Structure formats: C-alpha cells, structure tokens
Amino acid sequence: ERRPLIVTIENHPAARPQFGLEQACLVYEFLAEGNITRFLAVYLHQEPDKIGPIRSARPYFLDKAMELDAIYAHCGQSPQAELEIPKFKIRSINEIGGAGIYFWRDNTKRAPHNLYSSVEKLRQYAEKKGWEKKTEPKGFNFAPDVQINDNTINKVIIDYPGSYEVTYNYDPETGVFLRNMEGKPHLAGESNRQLTAQNIAVLYANKTRVIDNEGRLEIDLLGEGKAVFFIGNQMVEGKWKKDSRSTPTYFYDQDGKEITFKTGQTWIQVVSSTTKLIAE
C-alpha cells in the first residue's frame, strides 16, 4: 500500500558496519568514484529504525528510483544528478536540500560517515509531500520454491577493484549465501549478524567510464547485457533488459524465459564488463 523507499548507503571501511542493509528487500551494489562501492537499499515491507551511513546521489541511482516508482533518500548529489532530480521529478528526500530534520548524525563516528535516518522518519516526509500510493514494482518474480538446474555453487567471488572484493559462501544449513568483504564477514550494525543473500544477480553494465576530474562514473544499464544469477545455490546464465531509464529491468535465462527468484533478500551486483566473476 505504499511506494518503495530507496536509500543510498556508503561502503567505505569507515562506514562499516552499516545499518539497515539486513532488513532491505533488495540491495544494489554499484561502483562510485575512487573504486569505492555504494549501496542502494530498497525498503517495502520492513521498517528499520536506523539506516546508513547515508551518502549522495548519482545519475545511475536515479534510474532505479524511476524504474521502481520509488521515493529516494540521500545526502547531496553529483552535479549531473542535481540537474536530473528536478528534470525527472524524482521524489527526493535530500538531507541538505531542506529535509535535514528527518536525518541525524551519530557523534560516535566521524563525518561524513555518520549520517542516518529511519524508515519511519523518511515516510513521514513522504506523507507530508503526498507521495505515498499503492504501487506494484515490476521486473521481479518470486516464488518460495524454485528449482532451476543441477549447476550448484558453493562460493561466488566478485572482484570489484581495490579492496572491495565481495565473496558469498553458500550455507547449506540456512540455505542462503553469507556475505564477506575483504575476506571478513560483512556484519549488520543492528544485530552483528553476517549479512546474507537468498539470491544474487550479477549484472554487467554495457559501459562504465569516468566522466569528470573527480572520478565520477557513467554506468550504462540501458538496452540489454549479460547477467549471471545465483538462486539458492543454483547458477544460471542469462541477460538483463531495460528499454529506458524509467522502465523496469527484466531478467531472463539463456532461453529467453523470465527469471524467478527464490523468496528472500536479493542482492544485485552491478559490475563493469571487465569485472572478474568466480563461481565454484
């Protein structure tokens, strides 16, 4: 009965452990400048009371806000995103754009790695703006029991640049992947538990290039491109397809059949065409 809420969460080592990732329905991981990754956490069902650290917007983050018909919370933005937020009528909750009372700083951490909010506060702002409405995000199919093939996988390594390599180890007892960063368990700030994924979708961007002197990126996820899906511990190769910035992304196997994910938290790893992926 409400719109998805998307929040930019940073992944600099000083930002860890993050809050709110454990309770997100979807988590996107993108490269940002400096070979650092950032997350877009999507909330629809759960309401964590602390989310962050929250950082700034990029144009390719706006694509996800548009395709999910979502409300988007962030702190500042790149120059290009600053132009595009009003142009595309993004439902923006910007901490430095007049919504500061809906965020807070945690003084136990140093800025800029200490800005947080909550689903309750952000939805209060959205209701004040009249943005809430019943929505049905498209592009994702879920089922409680999904059997794809016999191609079972126990470990997935995504070789993001620098020190941001991600490893997922499948845990047969719980039936989920356990997430690691830099060879260590990636922990949730609120529970100190290791973050998990029921599904992992690795999407290869058509183009990833630096566009300014600050090292900011252009990441092209329009048209179609290669994808690899890990659903439970089963791997299937396929593709993603997205017709325009505001339309949904759809996921297909090699036979053109739309992917059905297993019910549970899904991590979408956006990578460049040269990123090394190891599945074993």
Side-chain angles (χ1 to χ4, degrees):
E1 300 298 322
R2 57 189 183 181
R3 294 186 193 274
L5 170 67
I6 298 179
V7 184
T8 298
I9 299 178
E10 72 163 318
N11 194 27
H12 189 280
R16 302 176 200 148
Q18 295 95 342
F19 287 77
L21 292 177
E22 189 175 38
Q23 294 171 281
C25 297
L26 304 170
V27 183
Y28 294 84
E29 185 166 13
F30 286 92
L31 274 174
E33 56 272 17
N35 287 333
I36 296 172
T37 64
R38 285 189 182 178
F39 303 117
L40 290 184
V42 182
Y43 302 96
L44 190 57
H45 306 295
Q46 299 197 66
E47 299 196 4
D49 57 13
K50 186 176 183 180
I51 304 170
I54 298 172
R55 293 299 297 272
S56 56
R58 296 293 178 269
Y60 41 95
F61 298 169
L62 305 183
D63 293 358
K64 298 306 163 191
M66 286 189 279
E67 74 173 60
L68 294 174
D69 196 19
I71 299 157
Y72 177 35
H74 56 102
C75 175
Q77 58 278 312
S78 67
Q80 186 179 351
E82 185 174 14
L83 295 174
E84 292 186 349
I85 286 170
K87 176 181 177 180
F88 294 111
K89 297 181 172 59
I90 303 297
R91 300 173 195 90
S92 162
I93 308 178
N94 184 1
E95 190 266 344
I96 62 173
I101 63 171
Y102 297 90
F103 299 75
W104 71 86
R105 296 277 177 184
D106 182 342
N107 292 328
T108 65
K109 285 192 170 186
R110 298 177 69 176
H113 314 294
N114 66 348
L115 183 69
Y116 299 88
S117 189
S118 67
V119 167
E120 181 181 14
K121 284 183 174 292
L122 296 173
R123 290 203 180 276
Q124 284 175 357
Y125 184 94
E127 288 175 6
K128 180 181 175 181
K129 288 286 190 177
W131 289 341
E132 291 287 25
K133 60 171 274 189
K134 184 176 181 178
T135 56
E136 186 178 350
K138 298 178 181 179
F140 293 93
N141 300 311
F142 290 94
D145 187 23
V146 180
Q147 294 296 321
I148 300 173
N149 54 41
D150 296 323
N151 190 8
T152 57
I153 297 297
N154 294 310
K155 178 183 284 190
V156 178
I157 302 172
I158 304 167
D159 189 21
Y160 284 110
S163 59
Y164 288 84
E165 180 182 273
V166 177
T167 302
Y168 290 97
N169 294 309
Y170 186 72
D171 180 10
E173 290 188 7
T174 58
V176 295
F177 284 97
L178 303 175
R179 180 181 163 92
N180 300 276
M181 288 290 307
E182 299 184 75
K184 301 175 183 178
H186 190 178
L187 301 178
E190 56 269 53
S191 68
N192 207 38
R193 292 190 294 258
Q194 190 169 2
L195 294 170
T196 65
Q198 183 69 74
N199 310 288
I200 306 163
V202 181
L203 310 186
Y204 288 84
N206 287 325
K207 179 169 58 179
T208 302
R209 68 181 184 94
V210 176
I211 59 172
D212 63 20
N213 292 334
E214 298 297 326
R216 297 187 184 97
L217 301 176
E218 176 187 6
I219 297 179
D220 181 5
L221 284 171
L222 294 180
E224 62 180 62
K226 177 184 174 181
V228 183
F229 306 100
F230 302 92
I231 301 167
N233 66 335
Q234 298 174 311
M235 184 181 86
V236 59
E237 297 186 64
K239 68 179 181 180
W240 57 265
K241 186 175 182 180
K242 179 175 170 63
D243 291 335
S244 71
R245 294 185 69 179
S246 62
T247 55
T249 300
Y250 291 95
F251 310 101
Y252 302 94
D253 64 18
Q254 289 181 318
D255 297 324
K257 181 180 178 182
E258 200 167 344
I259 293 290
T260 297
F261 296 101
K262 195 170 183 180
T263 303
Q265 191 182 55
T266 301
W267 284 68
I268 300 176
Q269 309 284 160
V270 178
V271 300
S272 72
S273 60
T274 59
T275 300
K276 187 177 180 180
L277 173 66
I278 300 171
E280 55 190 33

